Amino acid sequence: MTTTAAPRLHTGALLAVAVTVVAWASAFVAIRAVGASYEPGPLALGRLLVGALALGAGVLVSRRRWVAPTRREWGLILLCGLAWFAVYNVVLNAAEQRIDAGTTAMLVNVGPILIALFAGLLLGEGFPRWLLIGGGIAFCGAVLVGASTADTGTADVLGVVLCLAAAVTYAIGVLAQKPVLRRLPGLQVTFLACAIGAVACLPFTPGLLDDLATAPVGATAGLVYLGLVPTALAFSTWAYALARMDAGRLGVTTYLAPPITIVLSAVLLGELPPALALVGGAVCLAGVALSRRRSPIRSQIR
């Protein structure tokens, strides 16, 4: 019996990872398309409201009992909700109004290296040689991406900065979420974090109402898709996988998102990143991969 249970668990986690990566890759394309009709803040609020409603329904029909978070767990959930759900979504939406979906995906995916750096700085994990080497290479890649947009206006450079800010909030969210998943159900944690993010974005309500009144049906359908699939579904499958896999290994799987995003963007939007941005993005991802040769945070958040 035990020999058959382990493969099932492993297969379930891998399936959850696949769903997460594809859904998040599609989100970059959807945000780019919907952003023509919705401002960054209202788009984040609409997406999070839809996601919170869907996740709340999932919690209600779930057979798993509600587990009361401790004070420390509430603090980590609050941090995850504010950083990864609220701030991340707003800055990512703003970035994609300035640069294409593929470039955004490449830059945001320096997040795993930031997770390792934060763990070394804040959790006492240290700074292994490969982490420093990979970080330096990834930084050079980000500079190349920035250079590829420098001759098209300051707004594009600002977009690169916003992408890196999104990567920082992504890293903070993962570091805050992982310890909570040791005891609390993933669906419950995801719902609470999404609801907290939605509440934090409530000041954008007037803008959301204005955009809803003027946006075409297709754009509003895209907003609903962002709330249901890349938010409610993908963050739930991510939490499921994160509770069962090493965070370092799981972070590596997100490297598949940029190439998927580039293909989807080319097919659906007719957009491709500049050639130098493609080179810079490849350098970024190579640097992140090198930094994971010796995972510095596995023992801490496993």
Side-chain angles (χ1 to χ4, degrees):
M1 297 294 292
T2 56
T3 57
T4 57
R8 289 178 182 175
L9 177 61
H10 182 64
T11 301
L14 289 178
L15 179 60
V17 169
V19 171
T20 300
V21 170
V22 173
W24 282 353
S26 71
F28 289 105
V29 179
I31 291 170
R32 180 70 170 166
V34 176
S37 302
Y38 285 87
E39 291 298 314
L43 175 55
L45 173 60
R47 173 180 178 176
L48 292 172
L49 287 174
V50 173
L53 288 173
L55 289 164
V59 170
L60 288 176
V61 302
S62 173
R63 294 183 179 180
R64 300 199 62 173
R65 68 181 181 87
W66 183 271
V67 180
T70 64
R71 181 177 298 181
R72 177 177 180 272
E73 288 168 342
W74 270 119
L76 292 172
I77 294 171
L78 179 63
L79 177 59
C80 180
L82 292 177
W84 200 3
F85 285 79
V87 179
Y88 172 87
N89 274 291
V90 174
V91 297
L92 180 63
N93 295 342
E96 290 213 53
Q97 290 193 346
R98 294 169 169 83
I99 56 179
D100 63 271
T103 303
T104 302
M106 290 186 289
L107 286 172
V108 170
N109 271 275
V110 303
I113 205 170
L114 296 178
I115 294 173
L117 289 171
F118 287 157
L121 182 64
L122 302 176
L123 303 180
E125 290 294 328
F127 301 94
R129 179 169 60 94
W130 280 110
L131 172 60
L132 297 177
I133 293 173
I137 292 174
F139 176 77
C140 292
V143 171
L144 286 176
V145 173
S148 72
T149 63
D151 58 354
T152 59
T154 304
D156 290 328
V157 177
L158 176 59
V160 172
V161 174
L162 289 170
C163 286
L164 296 177
V168 171
T169 54
Y170 155 58
I172 292 173
V174 172
L175 288 173
Q177 184 188 45
K178 177 63 178 180
V180 179
L181 293 173
R182 293 171 183 162
R183 196 178 72 90
L184 303 184
L187 182 60
Q188 177 183 328
V189 172
T190 306
F191 163 67
L192 289 173
C194 187
I196 289 169
V199 171
C201 290
L202 283 178
F204 297 114
T205 300
L208 176 60
L209 295 176
D210 290 342
D211 288 346
L212 282 170
T214 59
V217 174
T220 301
L223 182 151
V224 173
Y225 170 81
L226 284 167
L228 292 178
V229 180
T231 303
L233 176 61
F235 274 92
S236 296
T237 52
W238 167 270
Y240 177 90
L242 187 60
R244 292 161 174 80
M245 295 176 62
D246 179 275
R249 291 179 181 176
L250 184 57
V252 170
T253 64
T254 63
Y255 305 162
L256 297 174
I260 296 174
T261 300
I262 291 171
V263 172
L264 291 175
S265 182
V267 173
L268 300 177
L269 303 179
E271 290 184 347
L272 278 174
L276 187 57
L278 286 173
V279 174
V283 172
C284 278
L285 298 183
V288 177
L290 285 175
S291 76
R292 306 308 307 165
R293 286 191 63 172
R294 304 179 74 182
S295 179
I297 61 173
R298 281 182 190 172
S299 60
Q300 178 68 31
I301 64 176
R302 188 177 176 85

